[in-house]
Amino acid sequence: MIAEDKDELEYAQSIEDEDGDTPTKERVILYFTSLRGVRTTYEHCCYVRLILKGLGVRVDERDVSMHSGFKQELKELLGDGFKGGLPKVFIGERYIGGMEEIRKMHEDGKLEKLVENCERLDDDGGNLLDVCEACGDIRFIPCETCSGSCKIYYECEEEDGEDYEEDDYGFQRCPDCNENGLIRCPICCY
């Protein structure tokens, strides 16, 4: 499923809007980990992030160690081809490759052509050196609803003689955050 030379160029040139007139800006998605438990995996993730940022493309970074939903999403995208191992790079829903494929395409100059029609950092006034003031480039912040505890307390209000089920009040799981009490940064994540 890794892009071939000819297919890469055709794909980059064929992306058009529904009207058929103007090219649509594709999204580069990077599945990675920020955990340093396995040193080589962490270094590979940092290397790919650096390459993509160096090209000036806007990257939707999805840290599977911070949100289990991203790991499940990655498994669904790759299907039987998912054997673990990070990083994984996609343009839209099209799988581009892991660290070795990205490194090789970058060295051959093919990666730059492949991301020509992708969203750029400077499209929204962003800069390569800008660091998000809200999250510090971690891409997650504590949930504002539950302050990161993952629990909300609902009070039992018996009005008009209605009977409430026991499940309708008391401590409940916060509907806004992930399993770590975090939400994606509303400033830098899109």
Side-chain angles (χ1 to χ4, degrees), residues 11-13 15 23-26 114-120:
Y11 175 74
Q13 294 168 352
I15 302 169
T24 303
K25 298 283 184 175
E26 284 280 32
L114 192 62
V115 297
E116 276 180 349
N117 293 323
C118 294
E119 295 178 14
R120 298 277 173 195

Side-chain angles (χ1 to χ4, degrees), residues 26-50:
E26 284 280 32
R27 180 181 290 185
V28 176
I29 303 170
L30 169 65
Y31 291 90
F32 74 106
T33 183
S34 60
L35 290 180
R36 299 175 186 193
V38 180
R39 185 177 187 168
T40 55
T41 301
Y42 176 73
E43 289 172 352
H44 290 169
C45 292
C46 290
Y47 182 70
V48 169
R49 281 179 77 195
L50 190 63

Side-chain angles (χ1 to χ4, degrees), residues 23-161:
T24 303
K25 298 283 184 175
E26 284 280 32
R27 180 181 290 185
V28 176
I29 303 170
L30 169 65
Y31 291 90
F32 74 106
T33 183
S34 60
L35 290 180
R36 299 175 186 193
V38 180
R39 185 177 187 168
T40 55
T41 301
Y42 176 73
E43 289 172 352
H44 290 169
C45 292
C46 290
Y47 182 70
V48 169
R49 281 179 77 195
L50 190 63
I51 288 173
L52 294 173
K53 285 191 177 210
L55 293 174
V57 294
R58 189 166 191 198
V59 180
D60 183 359
E61 298 177 3
R62 299 183 180 187
D63 189 346
V64 298
S65 63
M66 297 287 275
H67 184 55
S68 63
F70 291 151
K71 187 173 185 177
Q72 185 61 35
E73 190 176 286
L74 182 59
K75 284 180 182 178
E76 289 172 9
L77 285 170
L78 291 176
D80 294 334
F82 181 69
K83 297 175 183 152
L86 295 170
K88 302 287 187 202
V89 179
F90 291 80
I91 295 180
E93 291 186 7
R94 183 171 181 240
Y95 178 62
I96 303 304
M99 197 283 292
E100 286 300 320
E101 294 87 3
I102 297 299
R103 182 191 56 78
K104 184 173 180 349
M105 283 191 276
H106 180 62
E107 288 173 356
D108 296 341
K110 297 173 185 168
L111 186 60
E112 195 169 315
K113 292 176 185 166
L114 192 62
V115 297
E116 276 180 349
N117 293 323
C118 294
E119 295 178 14
R120 298 277 173 195
L121 287 173
D122 55 5
D123 287 348
D124 62 353
N127 186 332
L128 284 173
L129 302 176
D130 285 346
V131 174
C132 178
E133 293 179 17
C135 69
D137 273 351
I138 296 174
R139 306 285 186 246
F140 286 91
I141 60 171
C143 177
E144 295 171 355
T145 306
C146 67
S147 301
S149 70
C150 299
K151 299 201 180 293
I152 299 176
Y153 186 77
Y154 291 104
E155 301 223 2
C156 179
E157 299 176 10
E158 294 185 26
E159 296 176 9
D160 301 327

